[in-house]
Amino acid sequence: MERSEFLARVGTAQAAAILPDHPSEDPGQWVPDLPDVDLVGRFIEMAGKMAAEVHTAPVDDAVGELVERYGAGNYMSWDADRIDGLDRLPEGLRRITTETPRGAEGRAEHNAGYMDCQLGITGAEAAFAETGTIVVRSGPGQPRMASLVPLVHIAVLRKDRIFRSASHWAADPSARMSEGSNVVFITGPSKTADIESIVTLGVHGPKHLHIVLV
Amino acid sequence: MTPVTFRERSVEELDTQKVVNIGKATRRKTADRIKASAAYPPMEQMRDRAREIRLHTLANLSEYLEQFAGSVERAGGHVYFAADAAEANHYVSQLAADRGVRSIVKSKSMVTEEIGLNHHLESKGLDVVESDLGEFIVQISGDRPVHIISPVMHMDRYEVAELFAEVLGMEYSDDPVALNAAARRHLRSIFLGADMGISGVNFGVADTGTITTVTNEGNARLTTTTPRIHVAIMGMERLVPNAGDLMVMLEVLARSGTGQALTVYTNLMTGPRAFDEQDGPDELHVVILDNGRSKALASSSAEILACIRCGACLNVCPVFREAGGHAYGSVYPGPIGAVLTPALFGHDEWGDLPFASSLCGACKDACPIRIDIPSLLLEQRAESMNRRGGEFAWLKPGMAAYRRIATNPTLWRGFLAAGGVFGKATGDWLTKLPFQAGNWTSTRDLPAPATQSFHSWWKEHRG
């Protein structure tokens, strides 16, 4: 249907709509009033409840320890200069390329390389203490896939980027929700409860989520 | 013969293992929701806020739609307005043909169920695979989703185990971990090779053109990232004005739907892959669907379009718990479905659904948007009666007689006294009533009327 025709039909319908009382202006920005807490402490507590593990060791040490723990042989990553506090990417592991070909040719072959990726390393530009959530944005040197296809996701987060809640973050000028084609809020590892409401981790995304605080 | 009414369908569902499983799962989900809401003090205030946002958006929908479409296009996406299911389906299959698409992967979306998109695409020779674990099980078993959030709530792990052993060729295991691992492996190769990904939209943000999907598994992220074309199908009412509004909706949705503080992956997408990004889809198409929604908006049940599809009303509904989702025969079951289905698709086929309710009000209480579902059910019942008056003609003389008795004190007292005599003669419970009243006593007993009316008792004791 033509756009103008579609919108005209909706316009006629909304004029006839019988709706309960509502504000005539957009309700706008709103931030819930919550008692003060230690944001870092609250974040560690809530992320833990969401089955993520939070680390406070220096980034390079924490990453090295996790590479060893999972016996990882390959990884994918954001560019090192996109991750606060990370001096070097892990050595002795194969890095899977994330630069995806454009167009119909070669994409499936490229994607096939992701099949058994073990480790993904990314930054996180913000976090919500109240829900144990990290915010991961796509951009140059920041592929979406690194937080999605590996079995283990390591995200590096600056402590001073922890906000109280999603609404607190959205009200901050740094939020810029529509910058980058993808912003994802990640709360714990991938999971499902589709079979008998039994929680199972690692469905399509990572089975393990590690957050390194710097 | 295929059952055509709620009553006929529900008879096949009652007392089956299926509804026992549904009863268990809905009670657990309800407990989780109440716990998650109580754990977050601003929740009640957020519900009020969410209601204001949704109603304000509906009252100004055409303006927000126009703004949203412009924002999506500025971000590099395409927008198509589809008047009905046929237009939406045609747009997607035509796009697939134009772009040489062979395989399609889908993330869970009720609106695509509503328009029968899978069936349409398959009829054009395309492979379509559902990637949400529950929807995947539905697809390979040839079943239908039983719940808008938990599509296989009615199945137990043994059924899934047998299905996977047969269809995926895995060794029989009823361990959910092993079943999940098999599905992950099977679906991952499909994701990585797909040309087109189709998702629904939980919310569209008018001022930025951002669309969101929420999933726990990560299937919507894969669907919208690995294939070169992303098609998002959105019911036209699913907008919010801005980012601040979106946050309120997301927190309310997660706590009400699954009892989580936030869903694992809340995915915000604005346009396709940018020129300097390493991955993401080359193209983004947003299909905005009417399919009966403008008709519903123009009605006295417009409030139903404020629904955010959390499923909380299904989980608390005594009818849904006993009859299950399939008894409704609609993509949208439960209290919300009993209003939405006739409002969208007409009363000729769906006019009996609003009667599948005891009007107990649990749905209104559970609804995060505080939608007055019982009142809307009554609106829809009235609409059904207006259209189908002839079928209910037998009710009219009875109701007329009742009206006459109930509005005349002398007749009314006589009626009550007669009831007392009747009660004395029959004991405490009536187990068999004559004529149409037998519909009640065929499945349950009715307490016998008291032998003395309160009116006459009062006269004797206090008068």
Side-chain angles (χ1 to χ4, degrees):
Chain A
M1 188 180 254
E2 283 300 317
R3 176 172 313 192
S4 53
E5 198 186 335
F6 188 104
L7 292 174
R9 189 161 85 167
V10 177
T12 309
Q14 82 195 29
I18 298 170
L19 283 165
D21 286 348
H22 58 270
S24 59
E25 295 298 313
D26 162 28
Q29 200 62 251
W30 181 74
V31 173
D33 193 18
L34 291 163
D36 283 340
V37 290
D38 164 33
L39 288 176
V40 176
R42 181 76 174 157
F43 176 75
I44 293 174
E45 178 199 342
M46 293 311 289
K49 274 194 186 163
M50 305 300 165
E53 198 176 312
V54 183
H55 304 256
T56 49
V59 181
D60 295 302
D61 297 353
V63 171
E65 192 265 313
L66 289 167
V67 168
E68 209 162 298
R69 191 196 301 182
Y70 291 103
N74 62 29
Y75 75 103
M76 54 207 291
S77 178
W78 282 12
D79 292 352
D81 63 358
R82 297 275 162 179
I83 304 174
D84 285 308
L86 184 79
D87 290 332
R88 57 178 192 280
L89 290 169
E91 285 155 14
L93 310 183
R94 188 168 64 83
R95 183 174 177 184
I96 294 170
T97 173
T98 45
E99 184 69 42
T100 307
R102 289 177 191 270
E105 295 306 313
R107 190 168 183 123
E109 292 71 19
H110 168 86
N111 284 347
Y114 294 137
M115 191 72 197
D116 289 301
C117 181
Q118 290 160 316
L119 212 66
I121 307 172
T122 75
E125 71 166 56
F128 314 147
E130 206 51 43
T131 49
T133 304
I134 56 172
V135 178
V136 178
R137 188 192 299 276
S138 71
Q142 302 181 185
R144 300 178 183 195
M145 282 298 200
S147 63
L148 180 56
V149 281
L151 199 63
V152 182
H153 174 203
I154 305 171
V156 181
L157 170 71
R158 265 171 45 193
K159 282 182 198 156
D160 61 3
R161 295 294 298 162
I162 300 175
F163 292 82
R164 188 63 200 269
S165 77
S167 295
H168 290 77
W169 174 74
D172 190 88
S174 70
R176 305 183 320 275
M177 194 181 67
S178 56
E179 193 179 300
S181 65
N182 183 220
V183 174
V184 59
F185 304 162
I186 301 177
T187 309
S190 162
K191 70 175 181 185
T192 188
D194 273 346
I195 302 174
E196 284 193 28
S197 309
I198 300 165
V199 174
T200 311
L201 299 182
V203 190
H204 296 300
K207 188 170 188 168
H208 307 279
L209 173 61
H210 294 272
I211 302 163
V212 184
L213 294 181
V214 294
Chain B
M1 234 178 80
T2 319
V4 293
T5 65
F6 179 86
R7 179 186 290 272
E8 286 167 7
R9 285 184 300 260
S10 63
V11 166
E12 298 188 352
E13 306 288 325
L14 290 172
D15 299 324
T16 58
Q17 184 59 41
K18 203 169 137 180
V19 294
V20 172
N21 295 341
I22 289 169
K24 264 192 231 167
T26 49
R27 284 169 175 84
R28 187 177 301 134
K29 277 188 172 299
T30 298
D32 288 348
R33 172 179 58 81
I34 292 169
K35 213 165 109 189
S37 302
Y40 196 56
M43 183 65 179
E44 291 308 306
Q45 219 184 331
M46 284 187 108
R47 289 172 67 182
D48 293 336
R49 189 85 188 172
R51 177 175 174 81
E52 286 182 0
I53 294 167
R54 291 298 297 138
L55 293 176
H56 165 79
T57 307
L58 291 177
N60 300 277
L61 191 59
S62 64
E63 291 79 9
Y64 283 124
L65 278 170
E66 191 169 12
Q67 187 189 12
F68 174 73
S71 306
V72 171
E73 286 165 344
R74 263 195 306 286
H78 304 270
V79 178
Y80 177 70
F81 285 90
D84 54 25
E87 282 193 10
N89 288 337
H90 178 74
Y91 180 83
V92 181
S93 60
Q94 194 58 47
L95 180 68
D98 289 348
R99 301 292 194 272
V101 166
R102 288 151 306 174
S103 65
I104 299 173
V105 70
K106 272 188 67 205
S107 61
K108 186 173 153 15
S109 153
M110 293 315 294
V111 76
T112 62
E113 296 276 345
E114 175 189 324
I115 61 176
L117 181 60
N118 287 13
H119 179 75
H120 173 78
L121 294 173
E122 282 161 3
S123 76
K124 302 283 176 188
L126 293 155
D127 285 331
V128 187
V129 176
E130 291 286 350
S131 63
D132 171 80
L133 180 60
E135 288 286 342
F136 175 67
I137 294 168
V138 165
Q139 187 180 35
I140 61 175
S141 62
D143 204 346
R144 283 173 304 124
V146 76
H147 185 286
I148 61 174
I149 298 286
S150 310
V152 290
M153 188 183 255
H154 59 303
M155 286 187 174
D156 54 37
R157 71 182 100 164
Y158 311 105
E159 285 173 79
V160 179
E162 276 170 28
L163 189 67
F164 276 26
E166 189 192 319
V167 179
L168 302 184
M170 71 178 280
E171 200 176 315
Y172 179 93
S173 166
D174 53 38
D175 174 12
V177 174
L179 294 169
N180 174 57
R184 175 183 172 109
R185 188 131 202 110
H186 176 80
L187 288 169
R188 176 153 291 196
S189 59
I190 291 168
F191 272 124
L192 298 178
D195 304 305
M196 178 186 274
I198 300 176
S199 75
V201 176
N202 285 94
F203 300 104
V205 183
D207 74 343
T208 59
T210 303
I211 54 174
T212 61
T213 57
V214 300
T215 70
N216 282 317
E217 301 178 2
N219 57 315
R221 289 188 68 199
L222 279 167
T223 299
T224 59
T225 303
T226 49
R228 67 180 198 273
I229 302 162
H230 172 202
V231 179
I233 319 268
M234 182 181 87
M236 71 176 201
E237 80 282 17
R238 320 213 94 209
L239 292 183
V240 293
N242 59 46
D245 299 327
L246 178 66
M247 299 305 138
V248 175
M249 305 313 302
L250 291 172
E251 292 208 48
V252 163
L253 174 63
R255 287 191 168 84
S256 303
T258 52
Q260 291 170 284
L262 263 187
T263 313
V264 174
Y265 299 113
T266 300
N267 199 27
L268 282 57
M269 294 159 282
T270 312
R273 173 185 181 179
F275 74 94
D276 56 0
E277 291 183 331
Q278 295 188 2
D279 53 13
D282 294 345
E283 295 178 42
L284 166 68
H285 298 256
V286 181
V287 177
I288 301 174
L289 180 74
D290 185 323
N291 206 34
R293 286 167 175 76
S294 55
K295 187 169 62 91
L297 182 62
S299 76
S300 53
S301 296
E303 188 184 353
I304 203 66
L305 295 176
C307 170
I308 58 171
R309 307 285 192 273
C310 69
C313 65
L314 279 60
N315 299 334
V316 294
C317 177
V319 176
F320 183 87
R321 283 178 175 178
E322 294 299 325
H326 289 160
Y328 293 81
S330 162
V331 171
Y332 303 110
I336 200 75
V339 178
L340 196 57
T341 310
L344 292 180
F345 312 128
H347 293 76
D348 291 343
E349 196 177 347
W350 303 104
D352 64 329
L353 287 190
F355 295 89
S357 167
S358 65
L359 300 177
C360 70
C363 47
K364 181 182 178 182
D365 210 35
C367 176
I369 314 297
R370 308 191 197 279
I371 297 173
D372 191 353
I373 301 173
S375 294
L376 298 180
L377 284 164
L378 288 175
E379 292 282 349
Q380 292 298 318
R381 285 183 185 188
E383 188 68 31
S384 293
M385 293 300 278
N386 288 341
R387 282 161 196 264
R388 308 172 66 178
E391 286 171 50
F392 299 97
W394 58 268
L395 265 175
K396 282 202 171 145
M399 292 309 285
Y402 177 77
R403 195 180 304 124
R404 204 173 135 68
I405 294 167
T407 53
N408 179 320
T410 314
L411 281 176
W412 181 245
R413 266 176 229 130
F415 178 70
L416 290 183
V421 173
F422 191 54
K424 205 175 264 172
T426 50
D428 290 342
W429 291 92
L430 304 179
T431 55
K432 199 169 184 326
L433 287 170
F435 310 116
Q436 293 292 348
N439 283 341
W440 178 274
T441 48
S442 67
T443 51
R444 40 187 138 32
D445 298 337
L446 183 73
T451 50
Q452 186 179 23
S453 74
F454 178 73
H455 191 269
S456 75
W457 180 89
W458 183 262
K459 231 175 169 175
E460 278 174 26
H461 290 79
R462 304 287 145 89

